[in-house]
Amino acid sequence: MKYNFDKITDRKNTNSLKWNVSDGVLPMWVADMDFEVCPAISKAVQDRAAHCIYGYSSDPSEWAEAYVNWWGTRHNWKFKKDAVLFCTGVIPAISSTVRRAAAPGEGVMVFTPVYNVFFNCINNSDRKVVESELIYNKADMSYEIDWADFEEKAKREDVKLLLLCNPHNPVGRIWTSEELARIGEICAANGMLVLSDEIHCDLTLPGKDYVPFASVNDTNRDISITAIAPSKTFNIAGLQSSAVIVPNRKLCRTIWNGLNADEVGEGNCFAQIAAIAAFTEGGEWLDELREYIAENKRIAAEFINNEVPGLRTTVTDATYLIWIDCSELSPDSNKLALFLKDNSKLFITRGSTYGGNGEGFLRMNLAAPRSVVMDGLERLKKGAIAFTL
């Protein structure tokens, strides 16, 4: 490989949220990679920093062009530059959109288990969470949509928005074109919009492609608000750079008004140049990263399924996260996660925080040098064995 993903970089004492832990604890929880960024991004940021004046910034045309070209080339989704709205992050974009798509007290549907901050975006805006729980097929360790439940809840007059996670976090599903078309058909028939969080879209396994919700057909396009960013893919979440793609011009204006009313529609000088560098020069780095993460996931799945009693891994095609069924060892993921942190100093996330059937799962972040991943797996094994004693 051209890039060294085995390199260990000490992140302590850098105000890292992930690494703000007690001595000896290994954090493998929040979706934050322990790899240094693509050199092209680092150079672009350092070159800009060397200018030594960081005033208000206008949006360079290259910023929108970078998004248009990246999604057109890598994901076969073509949209116009005027459909691109910038934001300080995907979560601010989601919160702002929730407030425009649904009135106070109205419902926003999510497929659970799902990224827990979705609940915050909805509840903090005084809207109601409407859960449609994914069906878990324990025999083959996979998930699918409960179409009957989804259709029934979509018919409710108070449900105005589906907040979709595509690919899905934490279960790692890549939704198919057929599934996305059916989602769009159901939502359109019931007057619902779809806000698709596609922040993990570039982190698919090699040979696996994701399908943008809005790209499937005209129906999906016209009801879609798509949140995308280079932050997960290129490990630059701290630079607060994201975009919202809204092809429907009338809807685009509504979302633009919301982002600006909420004062989250402005980028900063580092967010701009980092995104441009990522999407214009980061392709080779990303392809090697995906290969490295895929091997981490293969090793982790083999280790857990063969050597850790009471734990099994689900089938995941995307993200650098692994979703672990711990129901045989403990149906209480909160209790088990706390035990692992206390007993073997491994900090991973309890599945209960994601709703649905997450109570019987753990989420583990594998975006780290392989030696760190192996350390985490050994700690997981040690803790699981101790938990049974």
Side-chain angles (χ1 to χ4, degrees), residues 9-14 16-22 25-27 29-30 32-34 372:
T9 302
D10 186 0
R11 298 183 63 191
K12 288 198 171 184
N13 302 313
T14 62
S16 165
L17 173 67
K18 181 179 183 180
W19 284 89
N20 185 21
V21 293
S22 301
V25 172
L26 178 60
W29 62 292
V30 69
D32 178 329
M33 296 194 290
D34 285 326
V372 175

Side-chain angles (χ1 to χ4, degrees), residues 144-162:
E144 61 182 298
I145 293 169
D146 185 336
W147 293 105
D149 181 70
F150 173 41
E151 286 198 66
E152 179 184 350
K153 290 173 178 172
K155 293 176 181 177
R156 287 173 38 178
E157 290 187 4
D158 65 320
V159 178
K160 302 299 184 182
L161 176 70
L162 170 66

Side-chain angles (χ1 to χ4, degrees), residues 24-28 303-304 308-311 324-326 329-330 332-351 361-364 375-388:
V25 172
L26 178 60
M28 302 182 77
F303 184 96
I304 292 169
V308 186
L311 301 184
I324 305 168
D325 186 340
C326 65
L329 181 62
S330 172
D332 186 347
S333 63
N334 185 52
K335 179 180 179 181
L336 180 56
L338 289 172
F339 183 87
L340 291 170
K341 191 173 182 181
D342 291 340
N343 180 271
S344 57
K345 304 298 183 184
L346 175 64
F347 184 8
I348 57 178
T349 311
R350 65 187 188 277
F361 289 80
L362 299 168
R363 194 189 80 166
M364 188 173 184
D375 183 11
L377 293 173
E378 292 292 349
R379 292 178 190 230
L380 180 65
K381 178 180 178 180
K382 172 188 172 183
I385 293 173
F387 189 81
T388 63

Side-chain angles (χ1 to χ4, degrees), residues 253-317:
R253 185 67 187 182
T254 298
I255 301 304
W256 182 88
N257 287 339
L259 294 174
N260 284 275
D262 293 334
E263 301 295 349
V264 295
E266 296 180 359
N268 66 69
C269 59
F270 294 105
Q272 295 165 347
I273 56 96
I276 293 168
F279 292 141
T280 57
E281 302 180 71
E284 181 184 39
W285 181 91
L286 174 59
D287 290 338
E288 288 197 8
L289 171 74
R290 292 168 63 213
E291 294 280 357
Y292 192 91
I293 289 173
E295 183 63 7
N296 277 358
K297 295 183 85 167
R298 186 197 66 78
I299 291 170
E302 182 177 283
F303 184 96
I304 292 169
N305 294 330
N306 294 330
E307 298 193 36
V308 186
L311 301 184
R312 293 178 67 201
T313 61
T314 62
V315 176
T316 63
D317 291 327

Side-chain angles (χ1 to χ4, degrees), residues 233-246:
T233 304
F234 293 98
N235 203 26
I236 55 173
L239 295 182
Q240 299 182 315
S241 180
S242 75
V244 183
I245 314 302
V246 193

Side-chain angles (χ1 to χ4, degrees), residues 8-223:
I8 294 177
T9 302
D10 186 0
R11 298 183 63 191
K12 288 198 171 184
N13 302 313
T14 62
N15 297 317
S16 165
L17 173 67
K18 181 179 183 180
W19 284 89
N20 185 21
V21 293
S22 301
D23 288 344
V25 172
L26 178 60
M28 302 182 77
W29 62 292
V30 69
D32 178 329
M33 296 194 290
D34 285 326
F35 305 122
E36 292 184 355
V37 300
C38 170
I41 298 175
S42 179
K43 182 179 186 303
V45 170
Q46 290 180 51
D47 288 349
R48 180 64 184 86
H51 185 262
C52 297
I53 298 178
Y54 319 123
Y56 295 117
S57 300
S58 59
D59 296 342
S61 61
E62 293 85 356
W63 198 7
E65 289 168 2
Y67 276 91
V68 170
N69 293 335
W70 183 267
W71 263 263
T73 301
R74 292 188 74 102
H75 305 303
N76 198 32
W77 179 25
K78 301 186 186 305
F79 50 83
K80 297 180 179 179
K81 286 174 60 176
D82 61 7
V84 182
L85 307 175
F86 296 111
C87 187
T88 56
V90 164
I91 293 306
I94 291 173
S95 293
S96 182
T97 299
V98 163
R99 290 191 287 272
R100 270 74 213 172
E106 290 185 327
V108 177
M109 197 185 311
V110 291
F111 293 131
T112 56
V114 74
Y115 179 44
N116 58 301
V117 181
F118 281 10
F119 302 127
N120 299 343
C121 294
I122 299 167
N123 291 326
N124 292 344
S125 298
D126 195 28
R127 276 66 176 172
K128 294 187 300 185
V129 175
V130 179
E131 290 191 48
S132 182
E133 187 172 334
L134 296 172
I135 296 172
Y136 176 50
N137 301 309
K138 197 173 182 70
D140 62 4
M141 308 297 287
S142 66
Y143 281 86
E144 61 182 298
I145 293 169
D146 185 336
W147 293 105
D149 181 70
F150 173 41
E151 286 198 66
E152 179 184 350
K153 290 173 178 172
K155 293 176 181 177
R156 287 173 38 178
E157 290 187 4
D158 65 320
V159 178
K160 302 299 184 182
L161 176 70
L162 170 66
L163 179 45
L164 178 67
C165 200
N166 176 39
H168 194 90
N169 171 21
V171 308
R173 264 300 311 272
I174 297 176
W175 305 116
T176 65
S177 295
E178 292 75 19
E179 288 170 322
L180 295 173
R182 189 171 177 183
I183 289 171
E185 180 183 2
I186 292 169
C187 288
N190 291 282
M192 292 172 59
L193 296 173
V194 176
L195 170 52
S196 187
D197 174 1
E198 303 186 358
I199 197 171
H200 290 277
C201 69
D202 285 306
L203 294 165
T204 59
L205 294 180
K208 300 284 185 177
D209 296 320
Y210 111 104
V211 180
F213 173 82
S215 72
V216 173
N217 53 42
D218 291 349
T219 297
N220 285 24
R221 179 197 63 201
D222 289 341
I223 63 171

